[in-house]
């Protein structure tokens, strides 16, 4: 298995040290499936339809199948989504007070069709109450389409925050415009976009929580994280390890670096920790808590401040390059003692 951070340079699109997608040129993709399922439920469930015939309400999103994603290329956002939805509705006839139930089927909500052209089928369980079915077929369909438009609007605005990064030309232009407005002076010189470097924006972050059981006493596991020799063994790379408050940390040929913020021998380590591909000077706070259990130790990891776009790779780094390699190191150590 290739070491983390390594690969054939011919096939790697180089990332800037500040993790900026230069001029938004590279193709980036963000999976919107999970977010979309929550948003669709939010905008559809609880929707009320009232008319002379009675009152109906969307009571549940019974079935949601499909996917959604957003792609950025050359400063443009491209959306892909395809959904098959089934909603449940319940209603009460105004005159008789009878209660009825039914469903709303949306077999193909996708970017290939406008919302107005999207097929929506309304059905009702057997029995009387067709007036409610007609209410849902007319006014209900209109409200469902409005809710679907709300979902698509949120997908294209709320979900995509931070995907298109401003260039320095944009930022400087805004600053000049502000200065001009405040001073009342006319700015004669123009800013050439080609002469300026791009800059990034504040990025959204997440917190990662992980737990792992090691066949090792807490003190031994603690030493593995704080001893240069042990770190170089499990990382298979030269390392800089200065286990004191403010001491430097560098691993995996510089792909990971930071410093020690707190050390409580055998119990707890707190690090300022970052990957080289993250935005410049952006650090996560990593807390490692060692919980001894006889001859085993539960390692509890909390990593706060991880860039959203790097969540999966950060989890893989800790799982594959730290935990799995430490397991192997411990096994080798135990085997040599037998």
């Amino acid at each position: 298995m290739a070491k983390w951070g390594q690969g054939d340079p011919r096939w790697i699109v180089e990332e800037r040290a500040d993790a900026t997608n230069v001029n938004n040129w590279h193709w980036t993709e963000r999976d919107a499936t999970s977010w979309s399922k929550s948003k669709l439920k939010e905008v559809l469930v609880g929707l009320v339809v009232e008319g002379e015939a009675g009152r109906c309400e969307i009571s549940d999103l019974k079935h949601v199948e499909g996917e959604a994603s957003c792609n950025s290329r050359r400063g443009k956002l491209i959306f892909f989504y395809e959904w098959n939805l089934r909603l449940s509705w319940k209603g009460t006839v105004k005159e008789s007070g009878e209660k009825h139930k039914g469903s709303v089927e949306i077999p193909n909500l996708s970017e290939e069709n406008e919302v107005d052209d999207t097929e929506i089928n309304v059905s009702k369980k057997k029995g009387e109450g067709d007036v409610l079915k007609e209410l849902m077929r007319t006014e209900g369909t209109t409200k469902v389409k409005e809710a679907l438009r709300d979902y698509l609007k949120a997908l294209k605005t709320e979900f995509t925050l931070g995907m298109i990064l401003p260039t320095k030309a944009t930022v400087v232009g805004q600053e000049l415009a502000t200065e001009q407005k405040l001073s009342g002076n006319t700015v004669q010189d123009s800013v050439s976009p080609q002469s300026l470097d791009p800059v990034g924006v504040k990025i959204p972050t997440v917190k990662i929580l992980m737990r792992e059981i090691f066949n090792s006493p807490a003190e031994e596991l603690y030493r593995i994280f704080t001893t240069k020799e042990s770190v170089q063994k499990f990382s298979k790379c030269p390392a800089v390890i200065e286990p004191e408050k403010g001491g430097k940390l560098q691993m995996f040929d510089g792909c990971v670096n930071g410093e020690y913020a707190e050390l409580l021998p055998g119990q707890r380590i707190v690090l300022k920790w970052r990957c080289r591909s993250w935005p410049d000077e952006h650090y996560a706070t990593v807390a490692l808590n060692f919980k001894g259990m006889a001859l085993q130790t539960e390692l509890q990891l909390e990593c706060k401040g991880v860039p959203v776009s790097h969540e999966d790779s950060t989890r893989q780094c800790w799982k594959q390059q730290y935990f799995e390699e430490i397991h192997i190191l411990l096994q080798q150590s135990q085997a040599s003692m037998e």
Side-chain angles (χ1 to χ4, degrees), residues 168-231:
K168 190 172 182 180
T170 304
V171 175
V172 172
Q174 292 172 347
E175 291 175 350
L176 290 174
T178 302
E179 291 175 3
Q180 178 182 353
K181 184 176 180 180
L182 292 174
S183 64
N185 297 327
T186 301
V187 179
Q188 298 293 338
D189 296 332
S190 62
V191 179
S192 172
Q194 289 80 5
S195 65
L196 298 172
D197 292 330
V199 296
V201 295
K202 185 177 180 180
I203 58 172
T205 62
V206 296
K207 178 170 68 174
I208 293 175
L209 299 175
M210 301 176 70
R211 295 172 182 266
E212 189 79 7
I213 303 294
F214 293 91
N215 294 321
S216 165
E219 291 77 11
E220 180 182 358
L221 187 59
Y222 176 90
R223 284 195 296 271
I224 289 176
F225 280 93
T226 56
T227 305
K228 180 178 179 179
E229 181 182 1
S230 297
V231 170

Side-chain angles (χ1 to χ4, degrees), residues 213-333:
I213 303 294
F214 293 91
N215 294 321
S216 165
E219 291 77 11
E220 180 182 358
L221 187 59
Y222 176 90
R223 284 195 296 271
I224 289 176
F225 280 93
T226 56
T227 305
K228 180 178 179 179
E229 181 182 1
S230 297
V231 170
Q232 291 183 156
K233 282 183 178 179
F234 80 75
S235 67
K236 301 178 177 62
C237 293
V240 176
I241 302 295
E242 299 175 354
E244 59 183 8
K245 187 172 183 179
K248 292 182 180 180
L249 166 74
Q250 189 175 89
M251 299 174 59
F252 305 112
D253 290 328
C255 287
V256 166
N257 61 77
E259 66 179 50
Y260 291 89
E262 178 187 338
L263 296 105
L264 190 59
Q267 299 180 46
R268 178 176 170 86
I269 299 173
V270 178
L271 307 167
K272 281 180 61 179
W273 188 93
R274 59 173 273 107
C275 296
R276 185 166 55 191
S277 59
W278 290 7
D280 193 27
E281 298 302 318
H282 179 86
Y283 287 83
T285 299
V286 173
L288 300 170
N289 291 296
F290 302 81
K291 304 296 182 182
M293 306 180 300
L295 297 179
Q296 291 185 318
T297 300
E298 180 185 68
L299 179 61
Q300 301 173 353
L301 177 142
E302 179 185 88
C303 191
K304 296 190 295 185
V306 177
V308 168
S309 58
H310 293 266
E311 179 182 0
D312 289 341
S313 62
T314 302
R315 285 183 181 275
Q316 290 174 7
C317 172
W318 281 99
K319 180 66 176 176
Q320 298 176 6
Q321 307 301 328
Y322 280 87
F323 298 166
E324 291 182 6
E325 294 298 332
I326 290 174
H327 279 302
I328 294 173
L329 178 63
L330 289 171
Q331 290 171 2
Q332 292 173 343
S333 176

Side-chain angles (χ1 to χ4, degrees), residues 80-148:
F80 300 99
Y81 54 91
E82 185 173 6
W83 296 106
N84 182 330
L85 309 173
R86 184 171 72 250
L87 309 166
S88 296
W89 64 267
K90 59 184 179 181
T92 304
V93 179
K94 188 173 183 179
E95 291 185 358
S96 65
E98 292 179 351
K99 298 184 182 297
H100 297 275
K101 296 180 180 180
S103 63
V104 177
E105 301 274 353
I106 307 172
N108 185 26
L109 173 66
S110 76
E111 78 280 353
E112 296 180 355
N113 303 305
E114 297 292 334
V115 172
D116 285 339
D117 299 326
T118 298
E119 180 183 356
I120 298 180
N121 301 314
V122 177
S123 61
K124 183 186 68 65
K125 291 186 176 181
K126 293 181 179 180
E128 298 181 357
D130 287 339
V131 289
L132 293 182
K133 178 182 177 182
E134 184 63 18
L135 176 64
M136 286 297 299
R137 192 187 67 80
T138 53
E139 296 183 36
T141 295
T142 299
K143 288 209 168 187
V144 167
K145 288 182 176 180
E146 289 175 357
L148 296 177

